[in-house]
Amino acid sequence: MSWSDVGHRWKTSLTQVDWYLCLGLIFLFLVLCGLCMGGWKLHQVLNDADALPIDAVVIKGERRYTSDEEIRIALQDLMKRSFFSADVNQVQQALEDLPWVFHASVRREWPAKLKVFLVEQDVVAHWNETDWLNAQGQVFKAPMKEGIPELPYLVGPDDQAVSVLTNYRQISELLAINEFKLTHLELSPRHAWLAILANGIALKLGREDKMARVQRFINVYPTLMQQNKPVARVDLRYDTGLAVGWGEAHEESR
């Protein structure tokens, strides 16, 4: 085959090529490359904390026990991210890990701000000497803070916290109507109840008929006061009667 034949074949093949299609494919390839490069560059910018930093975190909600410094420390690592790369779920979790925070909601606000709404624990009682109990009956651990009001002391198994709080509220309401203040309520491992009043009187209520036994104490209290002796404890674990322990060295009377 001569060189002229080879050249003729190449010329024939080139005339059969769809150049419009080839140029279109090349153009599409270049567009795709440009989009990929643009996406990669945009990703870098959106995740660049120097280019798009979080300028401010606005905290709303009533706070009594959570300081600005505690919040700053909790968020210091997360604040190193850019406005778009910061994970609001992680910010929320970091805030809810603070001991006195019950709930946190977080949202972005353009162009460089995070808005946070905090709800603190609504503490209603001491729990087992070392912990706290909130209004929902949930046990939580937190350090003592200035400004916490005087609270009752509740004791019991952690899985019975809601029950203890519910019974405290019921018994406390009944006693308050009759001008007594309940300061301590305990549920023993054997499910027996012990109530202690602000005047120091301990009421052994047993496992059943707590409210009826409290009412029995209320009914008999004026008679006990006529004895002119300090009452230390009243055992109400009887069907009809009660046993009184006096504050001084006296035999128990029923």
Side-chain angles (χ1 to χ4, degrees), residues 139-152:
V139 179
F140 68 97
K141 294 182 179 294
M144 176 65 73
K145 291 284 186 175
E146 184 178 351
I148 297 176
E150 183 180 355
L151 297 172

Side-chain angles (χ1 to χ4, degrees), residues 56-127:
V57 178
V58 179
I59 308 294
K60 292 189 175 182
E62 183 180 353
R63 286 184 291 139
R64 290 182 293 175
Y65 312 126
T66 306
S67 67
D68 291 342
E69 180 64 14
E70 289 174 313
I71 294 174
R72 187 193 66 78
I73 293 173
L75 299 182
Q76 61 183 356
D77 291 335
L78 297 172
M79 291 294 290
K80 296 176 182 178
R81 302 179 184 180
S82 75
F83 175 71
F84 287 101
S85 66
D87 189 332
V88 294
N89 292 323
Q90 289 184 348
V91 174
Q92 176 181 340
Q93 188 60 57
L95 292 170
E96 290 182 348
D97 285 342
L98 293 172
W100 281 101
V101 173
F102 175 68
H103 175 69
S105 59
V106 183
R107 65 182 178 87
R108 294 184 179 91
E109 185 175 275
W110 181 261
K113 186 185 296 182
L114 291 181
K115 282 196 134 180
V116 175
F117 188 85
L118 290 183
V119 178
E120 284 193 321
Q121 295 281 5
D122 183 9
V123 60
V124 295
H126 298 273
W127 179 254

